Amino acid sequence: MPKAEQIIDTSTWVDDYSDMLYNFSVTRVNDHEMAKDLVQDTFVSAIKGLDNFQGKSTVKTWLFSILKRKIIDHWRKQESRQTRPMSALGTDSETGESKVIERQNKGAVSEIEINYDNKELRSAIMGCIQELPDKWKGIVIDKLVEEKKSEEVCKEHDITASNLWVIIHRAKVQLRDCLELKWFNS
Amino acid sequence: MMKCNEAGAMMEKEEFEKLPFMKRFSLRFHLMMCKCCKGYEKDVTPLNSIIKSANSEHADTSLSDNEKSEMKSSIAQQ
């Protein structure tokens, strides 16, 4: 059992891995302190569970897999606290018609001038992404924010290629409604 | 005829890869007939650009040396 401990020197982990873990985490939780805490928790869990690390993957991969689980747990906690104001929107169901008209009065996503230095726009879209269902959130970030390859995203989230586009579409419809609400109503 | 769900998914896919001829044709046909999907079509590309900008302002920054040493001592305590 102590074989792993003998080889792995955990004292350099913070210097070696904290920045890359933090970058991954902050993109997904959009909160500096929370992102930092998740990284710290990752190191603590990893050190406690060092016996479970069998050297099949690299330390880096292993730490990332722990962090990913922690981020998902964080999203779940966040989701159960939220009243989910957006969940009623986002589909063109029976009531879709009136929403379409309502939306047009306020303004449309296609009218937004996209400027990457626009902090308000960035914070609006990040807020909307946080409101997506957990399952979609990671997929949207991987595919549309970090622009990973489709095959990679499907493998990571265990979905089929056609499922990927259906999820992306549903998520984007919700994001559009959320963004138009936030952008043109404030 | 292609359903709205599929048309939506195809529009997303088309942002990243070329659709097979028949899919492309069915999608165009659907868009000619369906006002709802036609309305979404103009949002497909701008939405992707906006979502892409959702990189945290903290991204590509590193933790300060101070934060790292704090982290090291908290880890050591646990």
Side-chain angles (χ1 to χ4, degrees):
Chain A
M1 272 318 213
K3 58 184 186 317
E5 256 161 307
Q6 283 169 351
I7 308 161
I8 298 165
D9 177 15
T10 59
S11 66
T12 59
W13 277 7
V14 172
D15 293 319
D16 291 343
Y17 303 112
S18 65
D19 284 334
M20 57 179 107
L21 292 168
Y22 169 75
N23 263 303
F24 183 88
S25 153
V26 82
T27 309
R28 283 159 180 79
V29 301
N30 192 24
D31 179 293
H32 170 70
E33 288 299 320
M34 181 49 71
K36 204 173 70 178
D37 287 350
L38 287 169
V39 172
Q40 186 173 312
D41 290 350
T42 299
F43 287 131
V44 172
S45 300
I47 292 167
K48 281 185 181 160
L50 206 55
D51 286 347
N52 299 328
F53 178 67
Q54 296 171 335
K56 280 181 188 155
S57 59
T58 62
V59 170
K60 183 177 144 189
T61 310
W62 186 54
L63 289 172
F64 268 101
S65 72
I66 296 172
L67 176 62
K68 281 175 195 168
R69 276 202 302 274
K70 296 212 176 284
I71 290 171
I72 292 169
D73 286 344
H74 165 72
W75 285 344
R76 294 218 175 106
K77 272 184 231 152
Q78 213 181 22
E79 193 172 28
S80 60
R81 274 202 308 272
Q82 274 172 12
T83 47
R84 314 274 333 270
M86 296 313 298
S87 56
L89 294 174
T91 46
D92 297 317
S93 54
E94 307 81 64
T95 52
E97 193 76 22
S98 66
K99 272 176 204 142
V100 171
I101 293 161
E102 211 182 311
R103 206 161 48 213
Q104 281 168 351
N105 291 338
K106 284 184 232 122
V109 158
S110 52
E111 293 160 19
I112 298 177
E113 196 186 322
I114 299 161
N115 174 349
Y116 288 103
D117 296 327
N118 190 334
K119 286 204 170 109
E120 280 134 45
L121 180 59
R122 186 166 60 185
S123 103
I125 187 65
M126 288 188 86
C128 290
I129 291 176
Q130 291 303 318
E131 287 173 20
L132 288 174
D134 294 343
K135 171 95 179 146
W136 298 356
K137 207 182 287 179
I139 294 171
V140 166
I141 292 173
D142 283 346
K143 183 66 205 159
L144 299 179
V145 180
E146 299 195 333
E147 300 184 297
K148 291 187 186 162
K149 286 207 178 84
S150 303
E151 302 82 56
E152 207 181 320
V153 180
C154 290
K155 205 175 150 206
E156 170 92 34
H157 295 273
D158 197 22
I159 52 171
T160 63
S162 59
N163 225 332
L164 171 69
W165 303 115
V166 172
I167 291 171
I168 291 281
H169 179 62
R170 291 197 182 142
K172 276 176 69 183
V173 170
Q174 180 173 327
L175 289 174
R176 175 187 66 169
D177 292 342
C178 171
L179 199 62
E180 288 180 353
L181 213 65
K182 269 193 212 256
W183 194 250
F184 295 103
N185 280 10
S186 55
Chain B
M1 185 165 129
M2 191 182 253
K3 297 229 166 67
C4 289
N5 266 345
E6 197 190 351
M10 286 304 121
M11 284 192 264
E12 308 303 349
K13 190 177 179 180
E14 208 175 25
E15 291 286 296
F16 294 90
E17 37 194 281
K18 201 168 181 215
L19 297 178
F21 176 78
M22 274 315 286
K23 283 280 176 211
R24 215 161 61 226
F25 178 80
S26 322
L27 174 61
R28 295 295 148 230
F29 184 70
H30 181 97
L31 290 175
M32 265 160 49
M33 308 304 247
C34 175
K35 226 166 100 183
C36 217
C37 290
K38 184 82 202 156
Y40 179 74
E41 193 192 11
K42 66 179 187 321
D43 295 331
V44 178
T45 309
L47 265 174
N48 276 7
S49 312
I50 295 171
I51 295 167
K52 205 169 105 181
S53 76
N55 253 319
S56 172
E57 55 188 311
H58 305 294
D60 296 321
T61 57
S62 24
L63 295 166
S64 68
D65 291 342
N66 208 357
E67 286 171 317
K68 283 182 194 170
S69 41
E70 271 174 30
M71 195 180 274
K72 282 180 198 165
S73 54
S74 322
I75 293 168
Q77 277 168 21
Q78 293 191 45

